[in-house]
């Protein structure tokens, strides 16, 4: 985990959430703290359980339908911090998009980076083609991160890519058009509360003589006008808000109402506000690289990094192996969630090979196994995730080793085998419904024998795993 995130986690800056999951909140109160970046109710760590309850209105159900089918999207962190690429004046720095705050960089010097932002190698269609090749169905990109620099055409603030850089093109517009052409849903990240360029906004406590801002003034002057701009200019399918420090429910509602008034079909993620507020958001964001331990009825999304950084850092070469990335996708889908996998493009507009190669490998896996992901519901079992145990006198949810995961579709149960059993015998819990037949998605002609009894299932698999990545058994009921 990168140091910034470690610091944030230590500061209790885990995700929001869930006053509406009474069990979960009760079990979590010990971990709740106020973090230095806001007044969020924070939950130190998600440690299950919850199936929660989810009673969407007809309108909400319609709005979220594509997202529940889609399962897999690309996250992109791209901005002035990409020029730094993990360095400041030749010195290696931590933090990526957070480096400016973590190292209290002089704001004027950071702003000056804009003059050198000229991503001449940026090609929206290439990026979106890669998204497609990865088998992803949507993207979310930073229209404005905490640094306050707008990566879109903005009249509301001159601190933007059209007015402030030699590039003078609007990459958000180009990406939106490429997404429409190629059938990819287009989402925008907007840091609505935290803006280190603005003395009135949340977050910059080092440049303007200490924080004594006026949150409402910032919202009226910059955030709301810019959110209006991005909704009008790009009709995003998702508005991905983040770090709601300083957001009261009234402020969050203002943001949400504005979005709904311009793009009523757009989805809003839960980081718009620090806890549940009916109608304000559509789906939950879990902690970074850290999904939920159990199945959740409420639509949710795990966002994760491909290496250890959100924004591009030249020195971060700790790319995760493909099977780890795939595990996150499969695990999220088996728990009724989505996976938003992040890529950090370079300042000149490239998605480098270490990212692209892995993405294409996932895409190749999905070409064979996609029917066990897209449009699927979560597990047919539920006991595989773990169970409660008493740890140091406290009842806790303890995760089981993830040897397999299950996803479902009408008349079908998929078993994603993550750890191939050495003796070829995979033992599973009991399954409702009588099994007609079963086969591996990578070899549909060869039937797999499954013994079914009230005690459970015993699958007789080939002694060697056919695919080095997850192998999926399709069971027809
Ligand atoms: C936030 C941002 O601050 C960060 O720069 C990045 O954009 C990331 C996707 O989101 O960071 C967070 C927010 C919440 C958690 C972790 C990192 N969390 O709840 O664990």
């Amino acid at each position: 985990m990168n140091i910034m995130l470690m610091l944030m986690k230590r500061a209790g800056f885990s995700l929001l959430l869930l006053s509406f999951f009474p069990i979960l909140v009760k079990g979590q109160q010990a971990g709740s703290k106020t973090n230095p970046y806001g007044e969020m109710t924070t939950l130190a760590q998600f440690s299950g359980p919850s199936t929660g309850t989810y009673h969407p209105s007809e309108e909400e159900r319609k709005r979220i339908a594509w997202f529940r089918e889609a399962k897999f999207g690309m996250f992109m962190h791209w901005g002035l911090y990409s020029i730094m690429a993990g360095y400041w004046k030749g010195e290696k720095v931590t933090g990526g998009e957070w480096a400016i705050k973590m190292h209290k960089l002089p704001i004027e010097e950071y702003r000056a980076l804009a003059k050198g932002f000229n991503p001449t190698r940026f090609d929206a269609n290439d990026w979106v083609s890669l998204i497609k090749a990865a088998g992803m169905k949507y993207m979310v990109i930073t229209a404005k991160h905490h640094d306050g620099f707008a990566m879109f055409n903005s009249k509301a603030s001159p601190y933007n890519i059209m007015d402030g850089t030699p590039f003078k093109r609007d990459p958000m517009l180009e990406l939106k058009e490429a997404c429409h052409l190629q059938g990819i849903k287009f989402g925008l990240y907007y840091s609505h509360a935290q803006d280190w360029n603005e003395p009135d906004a949340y977050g910059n406590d080092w440049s303007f003589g200490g924080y004594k801002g006026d949150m409402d003034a910032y919202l009226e002057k910059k955030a709301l006008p810019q959110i209006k701009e991005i909704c009008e200019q790009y009709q995003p399918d998702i508005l991905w808000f983040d770090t709601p420090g300083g957001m009261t429910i009234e402020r969050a509602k203002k943001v949400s109402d504005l979005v709904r008034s311009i793009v009523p079909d757009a989805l809003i993620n839960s980081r718009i506000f620090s806890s549940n507020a009916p109608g304000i958001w559509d789906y939950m964001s879990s902690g970074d690289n850290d999904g939920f331990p159990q199945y959740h009825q409420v639509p949710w999304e795990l966002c994760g990094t491909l290496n250890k950084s959100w924004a591009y850092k030249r020195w971060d070469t700790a790319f995760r192996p493909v099977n780890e990335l795939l595990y996150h996708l499969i695990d999220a889908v088996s728990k009724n969630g989505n996976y938003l996998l992040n890529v950090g493009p370079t300042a000149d507009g490239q998605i480098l090979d270490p990212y692209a190669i892995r993405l294409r490998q996932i895409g190749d896996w999905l070409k064979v196994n996609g029917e066990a992901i897209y449009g699927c519901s979560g597990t047919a079992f539920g006991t595989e995730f773990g169970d409660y145990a008493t740890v140091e006198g406290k009842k806790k949810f303890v995760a089981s080793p993830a040897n397999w995961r299950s996803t479902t579709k009408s008349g079908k149960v998929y078993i994603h085998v993550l750890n191939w059993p050495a003796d070829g015998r995979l033992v599973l819990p009991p399954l409702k419904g009588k099994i007609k037949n079963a086969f591996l998605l990578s070899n549909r002609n060869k039937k797999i024998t499954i013994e079914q009894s009230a005690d459970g299932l015993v699958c007789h698999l080939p002694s060697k795993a056919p695919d080095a990545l997850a192998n999926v058994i399709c069971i027809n009921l």
Side-chain angles (χ1 to χ4, degrees):
M1 189 186 327
N2 88 27
I3 290 175
M4 179 270 289
L5 293 176
M6 238 163 69
L7 286 174
M8 291 166 70
K9 282 224 154 139
R10 217 173 290 148
F13 189 21
S14 205
L15 251 210
L16 353 157
L17 307 181
L18 305 192
S19 34
F20 73 128
F21 287 165
I23 316 176
L24 192 137
V25 168
K26 219 163 108 207
Q28 292 296 323
Q29 256 152 13
S32 302
K33 275 186 216 146
T34 299
N35 69 75
Y37 308 115
E39 299 145 6
M40 313 166 54
T41 308
T42 53
L43 306 173
Q45 188 72 56
F46 263 109
S47 57
S50 186
T51 57
T53 49
Y54 180 53
H55 304 292
S57 66
E58 204 35 47
E59 192 188 331
E60 286 167 326
R61 195 187 295 278
K62 273 196 197 138
R63 195 153 69 208
I64 196 87
W66 72 262
F67 181 83
R68 310 198 78 159
E69 293 271 313
K71 304 295 178 196
F72 191 28
M74 186 181 282
F75 209 3
M76 291 186 155
H77 280 67
W78 198 42
L80 296 184
Y81 40 79
S82 312
I83 303 178
M84 291 174 59
Y87 292 88
W88 183 252
K89 299 186 175 169
E91 300 275 325
K92 188 170 153 178
V93 287
T94 49
E97 74 284 356
W98 270 79
I100 174 176
K101 178 167 171 113
M102 282 181 68
H103 304 282
K104 301 193 185 310
L105 305 180
I107 186 84
E108 304 75 25
E109 290 183 30
Y110 183 81
R111 284 176 184 149
L113 290 176
K115 296 196 186 73
F117 193 67
N118 196 14
T120 48
R121 300 177 84 159
F122 166 71
D123 181 323
N125 276 307
D126 283 357
W127 284 16
V128 178
S129 298
L130 180 61
I131 290 172
K132 278 201 91 123
M136 292 159 157
K137 306 291 188 191
Y138 63 107
M139 71 172 288
V140 177
I141 184 163
T142 46
K144 187 196 88 173
H145 205 269
H146 310 329
D147 66 349
F149 184 76
M151 292 290 285
F152 59 95
N153 187 8
S154 177
K155 299 274 171 290
S157 159
Y159 195 44
N160 73 65
I161 192 162
M162 300 285 282
D163 296 320
T165 74
F167 191 51
K168 301 203 183 307
R169 272 161 57 189
D170 180 352
M172 300 300 120
L173 188 63
E174 292 177 26
L175 282 166
K176 174 209 144 175
E177 283 167 358
C179 280
H180 283 200
L181 264 177
Q182 300 198 45
I184 294 292
K185 296 276 186 185
F186 181 62
L188 291 173
Y189 174 111
Y190 188 88
S191 177
H192 60 317
Q194 194 152 210
D195 188 320
W196 301 328
N197 194 56
E198 308 296 328
D200 275 334
Y202 222 91
N204 190 334
D205 50 13
W206 73 95
S207 305
F208 310 118
Y211 176 71
K212 45 183 178 309
D214 177 346
M215 190 71 181
D216 289 308
Y218 153 74
L219 286 171
E220 294 302 326
K221 250 184 1 233
K222 183 169 179 186
L224 290 164
Q226 284 198 329
I227 293 166
K228 183 165 185 276
E229 286 177 338
I230 59 177
C231 288
E232 286 175 351
Q233 290 165 198
Y234 316 106
Q235 294 89 40
D237 297 299
I238 299 178
L239 272 292
W240 213 101
F241 295 109
D242 204 1
T243 67
M247 294 306 283
T248 57
I249 185 144
E250 291 77 22
R251 289 169 179 155
K253 193 160 173 352
K254 247 190 193 171
V255 173
S256 174
D257 286 351
L258 174 65
V259 172
R260 307 273 190 231
S261 73
I262 306 169
V263 274
D265 292 337
L267 299 175
I268 296 176
N269 74 328
S270 64
R271 291 190 191 179
I272 188 173
F273 186 53
S274 51
S275 62
N276 185 37
I280 285 197
W281 51 258
D282 296 286
Y283 72 82
M284 275 192 301
S285 299
S286 74
D288 55 294
N289 292 309
D290 201 6
F292 290 127
Q294 282 205 304
Y295 182 95
H296 270 269
Q297 269 187 27
V298 177
W300 66 279
E301 178 183 66
L302 160 68
C303 58
T305 51
L306 220 148
N307 48 4
K308 304 279 171 170
S309 312
W310 298 106
Y312 175 66
K313 282 197 204 99
R314 215 156 47 234
W315 51 264
D316 182 355
T317 53
F319 289 94
R320 296 170 199 273
V322 174
N323 58 12
E324 183 182 333
L325 302 169
L326 252 187
Y327 163 73
H328 283 306
L329 173 63
I330 294 165
D331 182 61
V333 176
S334 80
K335 294 168 179 170
N336 197 32
N338 282 25
Y339 184 35
L340 186 66
L341 174 57
N342 182 75
V343 158
T346 60
D348 67 359
Q350 299 181 78
I351 297 170
L352 297 178
D353 277 351
Y355 297 95
I357 289 168
R358 286 166 179 79
L359 291 170
R360 288 183 203 285
Q361 274 176 287
I362 299 175
D364 290 344
W365 182 88
L366 280 164
K367 273 188 201 123
V368 176
N369 299 288
E371 70 161 86
I373 296 288
Y374 306 121
C376 281
S377 301
T379 182
F381 307 95
T383 48
E384 67 273 31
F385 302 128
D387 204 351
Y388 292 94
T390 308
V391 182
E392 289 159 5
K394 281 194 195 132
K395 210 169 170 207
K396 269 194 173 165
F397 184 79
V398 179
S400 300
N403 291 325
W404 56 273
R405 289 289 179 254
S406 156
T407 57
T408 53
K409 243 179 212 165
S410 81
K412 286 176 195 293
V413 173
Y414 300 101
I415 308 294
H416 303 245
V417 187
L418 304 169
N419 251 333
W420 197 260
D423 58 1
R425 251 177 116 255
L426 179 69
V427 179
L428 301 174
L431 187 64
K432 279 195 212 122
K434 191 162 167 8
I435 296 177
K436 279 194 201 127
N437 58 54
F439 53 85
L440 286 170
L441 289 182
S442 59
N443 188 0
R444 292 167 175 263
N445 297 325
K446 197 167 176 307
K447 296 283 174 274
I448 299 254
T449 309
I450 301 184
E451 294 168 52
Q452 185 175 22
S453 76
D455 297 335
L457 312 179
V458 181
C459 312
H460 296 275
L461 305 175
S463 57
K464 278 223 173 66
D467 191 333
L469 299 173
N471 288 275
V472 182
I473 308 169
C474 171
I475 300 177
N476 284 313
L477 295 176

